[in-house]
């Protein structure tokens, strides 16, 4: 049975905050145990999800009160993260659950998104509280490519994964990544912009990275892994948007899917991505391919 394990690196050193985070992870684990592992009745899952939402909202209020109490300079930016979760993400997940009559996929999406959000939020945003420095990003000059890559990709990934990530250089289809998995995320933004991000990672590293985030031993990629990856990617995309001078909510996820090798090769052949970056984690490599373009005009009826 999969178990979401609490990592000591999730502790920020504030008892009321750490206890709440630990409790939220425990609730997610209980939902997974009841509905994904044991396939028990829907009522238990419904009550667990209601409890998670109520406890998360209570925690946000307590954490915001603590930030005001200590005069944390990043309070406003941090509260916006909470507001998006309670006003947009959680209600959307809730609608999907009820519309699908609590289907297994909808419950897996709930678990993956909430766990992915918690992991990224705790390590990147909440840790900044005790450091006394705001984690708010400001537009940065784009002329120093290495500084941009480190600030927007390497640094946050190292925090989330808890291990060293190194930028190697430009990625090409000649670079061999064993057992490569290709995961494509497509984002839309007004008025007609579109952003495509493709993660190229060997399956063992993909599962190990997911395990590092959640303390779970994953033996195959599943919906929980996919939805969690989407949530981590959304965190990085929002940070990048701010650094490029855009609004953090400008890019909205349209679709996430695994590609096969032929589909990935065709993308490179038809239109190579604007940015293809190669990274090392230990002895293994992964790549990020990023492409921004205008949406095609809709067909004339």
């Amino acid at each position: 049975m999969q178990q979401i394990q609490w990592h000591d690196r999730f502790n920020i050193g504030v008892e009321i905050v750490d206890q709440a985070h630990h409790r939220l992870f425990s609730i997610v684990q209980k939902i997974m145990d009841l509905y994904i592992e044991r396939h028990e009745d829907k009522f238990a899952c419904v009550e667990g999800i209601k409890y998670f939402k109520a406890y998360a909202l209570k925690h946000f209020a307590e954490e915001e009160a603590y930030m005001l109490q200590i005069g944390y300079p990043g309070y406003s930016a941090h509260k916006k993260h909470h507001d998006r979760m309670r006003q947009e993400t959680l209600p959307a997940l809730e609608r999907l659950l009820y519309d699908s009559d609590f289907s297994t996929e909808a419950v897996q999406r709930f678990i993956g998104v909430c766990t992915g959000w918690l992991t990224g939020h705790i390590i990147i945003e909440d840790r900044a509280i005790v450091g006394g420095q705001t984690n708010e990003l400001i537009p940065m000059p784009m002329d120093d490519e290495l500084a941009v890559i480190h600030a927007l990709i390497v640094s946050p990934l190292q925090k989330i994964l808890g291990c060293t990530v190194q930028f190697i250089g430009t990625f090409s289809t000649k670079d061999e990544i064993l057992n490569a998995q290709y995961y494509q995320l497509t984002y839309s933004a007004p008025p007609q912009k579109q952003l495509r991000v493709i993660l190229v990672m060997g399956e063992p590293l993909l599962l190990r990275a997911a395990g590092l985030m959640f303390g779970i031993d994953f033996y195959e990629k599943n919906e929980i892994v996919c939805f969690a990856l989407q949530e981590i990617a959304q965190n990085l995309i929002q940070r990048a948007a701010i650094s490029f001078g855009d609004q953090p909510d400008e890019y909205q996820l349209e679709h996430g899917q695994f590609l096969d090798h032929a589909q990935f090769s065709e993308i490179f052949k038809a239109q190579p991505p604007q940015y293809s970056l190669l990274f090392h984690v230990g002895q293994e490599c992964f790549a990020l391919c990023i492409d921004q373009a205008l949406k095609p005009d809709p067909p004339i009826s």
Side-chain angles (χ1 to χ4, degrees):
M1 181 175 66
Q2 294 177 338
Q3 292 286 328
I4 298 177
Q5 300 293 333
W6 177 259
H7 290 280
D8 286 342
R9 65 191 180 93
F10 292 161
N11 289 321
I12 71 168
V14 178
E15 186 174 2
I16 189 174
V17 174
D18 290 337
Q19 286 180 349
H21 290 160
H22 200 165
R23 183 61 179 159
L24 286 168
F25 271 85
S26 297
I27 298 168
V28 172
Q29 173 58 53
K30 189 67 174 177
I31 297 169
M32 180 185 288
D33 182 20
L34 288 172
Y35 205 66
I36 304 299
E37 299 290 345
R38 297 186 192 175
H39 304 287
E40 292 191 0
D41 64 280
K42 185 179 73 176
F43 176 77
C45 181
V46 172
E47 292 305 304
I49 288 169
K50 284 182 179 177
Y51 184 46
F52 177 91
K53 180 182 176 182
Y55 195 89
L57 298 184
K58 175 177 177 289
H59 163 60
F60 292 163
E62 290 176 344
E63 190 172 88
E64 288 161 12
Y66 174 76
M67 288 189 286
L68 288 173
Q69 179 186 338
I70 65 172
Y72 175 53
Y75 169 80
S76 295
H78 196 122
K79 186 177 182 297
K80 288 179 182 178
H81 288 279
H82 289 173
D83 289 342
R84 282 194 293 270
M85 186 62 170
R86 61 186 153 207
Q87 295 170 11
E88 299 174 21
T89 305
L90 283 174
L93 290 171
E94 208 168 23
R95 284 194 300 271
L96 180 63
L97 286 163
Y98 282 99
D99 289 346
S100 68
D101 195 28
F102 284 75
S103 68
T104 298
E105 182 180 358
V107 176
Q108 287 177 325
R109 177 185 289 271
F110 181 91
I111 293 170
V113 169
C114 289
T115 310
W117 188 89
L118 279 171
T119 302
H121 185 76
I122 291 169
I123 293 176
I124 294 177
E125 307 299 336
D126 288 344
R127 274 188 175 176
I129 298 173
V130 294
Q133 297 179 346
T134 175
N135 206 34
E136 187 172 7
L137 294 173
I138 58 174
M140 60 188 298
M142 297 292 110
D143 53 350
D144 188 342
E145 185 180 70
L146 288 178
V148 171
I149 291 170
H150 188 272
L152 301 185
I153 301 173
V154 173
S155 179
L157 279 183
Q158 285 186 157
K159 292 175 182 177
I160 292 169
L161 297 176
C163 60
T164 301
V165 177
Q166 293 180 307
F167 172 60
I168 303 301
T170 302
F171 168 75
S172 77
T173 52
K174 295 179 181 178
D175 291 306
E176 186 176 8
I177 296 180
L178 296 176
N179 301 311
Q181 304 292 306
Y182 309 94
Y183 193 61
Q184 176 177 267
L185 295 160
T186 305
Y187 297 84
S188 64
Q192 279 289 100
K193 287 191 289 186
Q194 191 172 63
L195 182 71
R196 179 174 61 196
V197 179
I198 303 177
L199 171 68
V200 185
M201 184 178 284
E203 186 167 7
L205 179 58
L206 175 67
L207 298 179
R208 192 157 59 253
L212 285 169
M213 285 189 285
F214 308 137
I216 294 177
D217 291 329
F218 287 104
Y219 301 103
E220 61 181 9
K221 61 179 187 286
N222 59 25
E223 297 300 324
I224 294 176
V225 173
C226 296
F227 295 133
L229 285 174
Q230 290 178 11
E231 197 58 30
I232 296 297
Q234 185 69 21
N235 184 298
L236 299 180
I237 293 295
Q238 289 176 344
R239 293 170 64 84
I242 296 171
S243 296
F244 295 149
D246 296 331
Q247 293 299 312
D249 294 331
E250 182 169 323
Y251 291 96
Q252 296 297 320
L253 179 65
E254 280 189 344
H255 190 53
Q257 66 178 117
F258 279 98
L259 307 174
D260 60 30
H261 179 70
Q263 291 171 317
F264 176 71
S265 298
E266 185 60 32
I267 289 173
F268 253 83
K269 182 179 177 182
Q271 182 181 342
Q274 292 169 296
Y275 303 97
S276 297
L277 311 173
L278 186 64
F279 301 86
H280 262 169
V281 178
Q283 300 301 312
E284 298 178 84
C285 295
F286 73 92
L288 275 177
C289 304
I290 305 168
D291 197 32
Q292 187 177 48
L294 292 177
K295 279 187 174 183
D297 292 328
I300 300 174
S301 57

